[in-house]
Amino acid sequence: MSEIGSRRRATVHDVARAAGVSLATVDRVLNGRAGVRAATAEKVEAAMLAIGFQRDLSASLLARGRDLQVVFLLPDRSNEFMESLAQAVERRARSAAGERLDLHLRRLRPLDAQALARELDALHPGACDCAVIVGSETPSVLRAVESAQRRGIAVVTLVSDLPGSARRHFIGIDNRAAGRTAASLLGRFCPTGAVAVIAGSLSLRDHQDRLEGFGAVMAAEFPRLELLGPVEGYDEPQQTRSLVEELLARNAGLAGIYNLGAGNAGLVAALTASSPAGAVRVIAHELTPSTRAGLASGCIDVVLDQNPDNEIRQALRAARQSALGGSAKIATDPIEIAVFLRDNLR
Amino acid sequence: MSEIGSRRRATVHDVARAAGVSLATVDRVLNGRAGVRAATAEKVEAAMLAIGFQRDLSASLLARGRDLQVVFLLPDRSNEFMESLAQAVERRARSAAGERLDLHLRRLRPLDAQALARELDALHPGACDCAVIVGSETPSVLRAVESAQRRGIAVVTLVSDLPGSARRHFIGIDNRAAGRTAASLLGRFCPTGAVAVIAGSLSLRDHQDRLEGFGAVMAAEFPRLELLGPVEGYDEPQQTRSLVEELLARNAGLAGIYNLGAGNAGLVAALTASSPAGAVRVIAHELTPSTRAGLASGCIDVVLDQNPDNEIRQALRAARQSALGGSAKIATDPIEIAVFLRDNLR
DNA sequence: CGTGTTTTGAGGTACGTGCCTCATGAGCAA
DNA sequence: TTGCTCATGAGGCACGTACCTCAAAACACG
């Protein structure tokens, strides 16, 4: 790859010649069409490997003549993070036009498994190649996912996985690692005292995972710190605010707070109102207007974030691969756990 | 974008019809060829805007029939980070084949401005569309960059910018923000004592920037901490090791170290040998085998990183845009300052 | 007005793949 | 053998853009 002015790239014609078969047969193998003997298919695949054939995506998409239809099913009126995910989809939809991607966004009632299942069932192949969903782990959703997959619609889970389901791929952070990271930082920040944990709902898998990671590192590395909670704020600003105010009132020596759920507007409001900035070390999740303000004012120390734009980009990569690559396993970059302080805000 | 089964996308034919000109004229405008009156060009551009035309990248690349030639000029035998950048290029080179990108990697003697200038001068358009370089801010390099740009070769700076030059675009982190972040963390980690700064070379712009950011936050927010240094280790493990050993020996109460340069193998060696793990809070740059080991063993607390794969990806985006987009300004995602602890190692 | 130059139009081929039809071959069972 | 199915080959058109040639039209200038 170092020499400049390299030779011509291998095409399907070259594969056909190398395998000693016709173009039609190569095409059938390449696109998983029926009517090819196993022995012949192997011969073709060997030839592709031998001459290093790589399908030209540009030509492939062009020849297909039709754009990849990707439907995003995201919670509506939920929380700021879901809003920024939706915005990332819209941003991407504009530039995606040049890459033969057609993005569609549907917002659904948060935590309404029935609604999600209904939307999934309503998708029909031909009008939708891939569905990207944020959903909870309920029987109706699992069934709808399997049904969609069987109809030829690739399902990608976003942010919160459905490990037992038929979903094709998952895009999101390692939430256990996120919890560990929060503990590791909060432990170093707080010399002594008590640390409180606030969750959205422990029935959400990502929240559960974060809690586990946090607890493990706290127990192992910072046994000197007392753990309070977890308490649940159901990702609502009002409830979260009450919880935080109560925590601050009842625990004079509170050293740190880890909010592993959403509802950060309430967290910031309570902190701003009732305590001198900087008295309590605070770690929260997802960079949103609220947490950004919290970082700027100093009442939040660290925000752990999953970059929405990157998540959407990776989801689209997965969608493309599932459409082009047949049944090969999908490869996407892992989503990093971004750590933000006031000083490296993007 | 929400409705499924959307209408056909606009093509050059539609633009021609809408503008009331021929296909040839649209083509001339689109590809910046001569022989079009200003008034006509404006008419065409207005039509493109009106019907929302977006050039089909797939078809465009296919029709061009030739791959985009991108040459990376990176320092050789330099440090682990440059090595991982090079590996990212090679990784990407494999998958880039399907996207009509042809990547070439040249390694040069580190900090040898003459060599870099010579390589740039040797590139000739037609065999190279875009050069991605990591270079220092010297007259010979600046001149070579300008010359390359004039010959029609887009120059993209990577990691370390050349702000005064004719370079087309810069890909890298905000190093001042990185320095601020280091100070913000180290300040929270260290209740009291002295904090030492180690640089590679203060003649490197990125190191200078980090130092400035670090010093600013330290002075403003943590005046209780005494600052030692900066000392220069010239990014070499041996020299860096000696510096650290000396620091540890002379300052019994040393609370923290910020190594804003490379040479981390020496840092880890010195820390492992002479001090009980965890006694000194340490922040370093770039996730490499050395810093990874340091995080795992506990002798490094935090690593600030710029993701090489992402940087290469963005550099290629810039290359593509400079090749296709004419003189429009290049848009890439900013490179985030990644923060790694033992617990969120990827 | 004519002459020369510039701008525009018309139409073609090419890129590599997807997908279609039709013909022919091989293989098998009765 | 005949009749059938299945595997494969041959070839063509399409996708949207790039780039080429040649001719026609519009314009500038004396």
Side-chain angles (χ1 to χ4, degrees), chain A residues 120-139:
Chain A
L120 274 173
D121 287 337
L123 299 172
H124 73 279
C128 171
D129 301 289
C130 177
V132 182
I133 66 173
V134 179
S136 50
E137 216 169 0
T138 65

Side-chain angles (χ1 to χ4, degrees), chain A residues 2-275:
Chain A
S2 201
E3 73 285 355
I4 293 200
S6 62
R7 74 212 170 288
R8 199 179 54 85
R9 152 157 322 132
T11 75
V12 279
H13 297 269
D14 302 319
V15 174
R17 207 174 316 116
V21 301
S22 77
L23 217 58
T25 300
V26 173
D27 182 66
R28 284 188 264 259
V29 172
L30 205 50
N31 294 293
R33 274 185 273 277
V36 180
R37 236 178 330 194
T40 312
E42 277 171 32
K43 208 167 55 177
V44 172
E45 270 154 18
M48 295 199 298
L49 217 65
I51 66 175
F53 169 77
Q54 209 164 352
R55 179 186 343 217
D56 186 323
L57 241 178
S58 309
S60 171
L61 288 173
L62 177 58
R64 278 178 151 75
R66 116 193 200 301
D67 295 4
L68 208 60
Q69 304 294 325
V70 183
V71 177
F72 287 83
L73 301 176
L74 303 184
D76 191 15
R77 294 168 307 150
S78 180
N79 53 59
E80 294 177 321
F81 176 63
M82 286 305 156
E83 220 49 54
S84 63
L85 259 186
Q87 285 167 17
V89 173
E90 310 227 353
R91 262 194 299 278
R92 191 58 201 265
R94 285 193 284 276
S95 69
E99 301 167 44
R100 301 214 147 268
L101 288 173
D102 226 354
L103 309 192
H104 309 273
L105 176 58
R106 302 270 181 75
R107 310 296 298 272
L108 296 124
R109 233 186 52 178
L111 294 172
D112 185 341
Q114 303 299 329
L116 178 54
R118 246 181 289 119
E119 286 284 343
L120 274 173
D121 287 337
L123 299 172
H124 73 279
C128 171
D129 301 289
C130 177
V132 182
I133 66 173
V134 179
S136 50
E137 216 169 0
T138 65
S140 58
V141 171
L142 296 181
R143 186 204 47 70
V145 168
E146 206 205 314
S147 157
Q149 282 281 155
R150 244 185 298 112
R151 276 175 290 150
I153 297 173
V155 177
V156 173
T157 52
L158 190 65
V159 177
S160 197
D161 196 13
L162 305 176
S165 74
R167 60 105 176 109
R168 191 69 210 289
H169 196 68
F170 166 63
I171 303 286
I173 62 170
D174 178 341
N175 283 294
R176 219 168 256 104
R180 288 200 305 270
T181 305
S184 205
L185 283 169
L186 215 45
R188 283 185 181 81
F189 287 165
C190 305
T192 176
V195 169
V197 179
I198 305 170
S201 161
L202 293 180
S203 68
L204 291 171
R205 170 164 277 264
D206 46 346
H207 290 197
Q208 186 65 46
D209 285 350
R210 289 172 188 173
L211 180 62
E212 282 178 29
F214 186 81
V217 167
M218 272 294 168
E221 294 184 32
F222 307 100
R224 65 172 192 275
L225 295 171
E226 185 194 351
L227 238 65
L228 304 176
V231 292
E232 297 174 275
Y234 301 101
D235 289 353
E236 303 217 339
Q238 281 310 322
Q239 297 197 45
T240 306
R241 174 171 190 163
S242 306
L243 287 178
V244 175
E245 286 172 344
E246 205 170 318
L247 275 170
L248 292 170
R250 293 209 188 158
N251 304 276
L254 193 66
I257 295 178
Y258 174 36
N259 179 23
L260 57 80
N264 283 308
L267 171 72
V268 172
L271 288 169
T272 308
S274 59
S275 114

Side-chain angles (χ1 to χ4, degrees), chain B residues 28 46 76 88 216 324 333:
Chain B
R28 285 188 262 258
D76 190 16
L324 287 180
D333 296 342

Side-chain angles (χ1 to χ4, degrees), chain A residues 1-6 9 54-59 61-62 67 69 71 89-90 93-95 97-106 123 127-128 177 180-181 184-185 188-189 217 221 281 300-302 307 310 313-314 317 333 336-344 346, chain B residues 1-6 9 54-59 61-62 67 69 71 89-90 93-95 97-106 123 127-128 177 180-181 184-185 188-189 217 221 281 300-302 307 310 313-314 317 333 336-344 346:
Chain A
M1 88 140 183
S2 201
E3 73 285 355
I4 293 200
S6 62
R9 152 157 322 132
Q54 209 164 352
R55 179 186 343 217
D56 186 323
L57 241 178
S58 309
L61 288 173
L62 177 58
D67 295 4
Q69 304 294 325
V71 177
V89 173
E90 310 227 353
R94 285 193 284 276
S95 69
E99 301 167 44
R100 301 214 147 268
L101 288 173
D102 226 354
L103 309 192
H104 309 273
L105 176 58
R106 302 270 181 75
L123 299 172
C128 171
R180 288 200 305 270
T181 305
S184 205
L185 283 169
R188 283 185 181 81
F189 287 165
V217 167
E221 294 184 32
R281 299 305 189 187
I300 294 181
D301 292 84
V302 172
N307 185 326
N310 191 24
R313 185 191 317 135
Q314 299 298 332
R317 271 184 68 177
D333 296 342
E336 283 180 5
I337 301 166
V339 179
F340 286 101
L341 287 81
R342 177 205 302 205
D343 307 285
N344 67 333
R346 59 154 171 264
Chain B
M1 86 141 190
S2 201
E3 74 286 354
I4 293 199
S6 62
R9 153 158 320 131
Q54 207 164 354
R55 177 182 353 212
D56 186 323
L57 239 179
S58 309
L61 288 173
L62 177 59
D67 296 4
Q69 304 294 326
V71 177
V89 173
E90 311 227 351
R94 285 193 284 275
S95 69
E99 300 166 44
R100 301 214 146 267
L101 288 173
D102 226 355
L103 310 191
H104 309 272
L105 176 58
R106 302 269 180 76
L123 299 172
C128 171
R180 288 200 304 269
T181 304
S184 204
L185 283 169
R188 283 185 182 80
F189 287 167
V217 168
E221 294 184 33
R281 299 304 189 188
I300 294 180
D301 292 85
V302 172
N307 186 325
N310 192 24
R313 186 192 315 133
Q314 299 298 332
R317 272 183 68 178
D333 296 342
E336 284 179 6
I337 300 167
V339 179
F340 286 102
L341 288 80
R342 177 205 303 206
D343 307 284
N344 67 333
R346 58 156 173 262

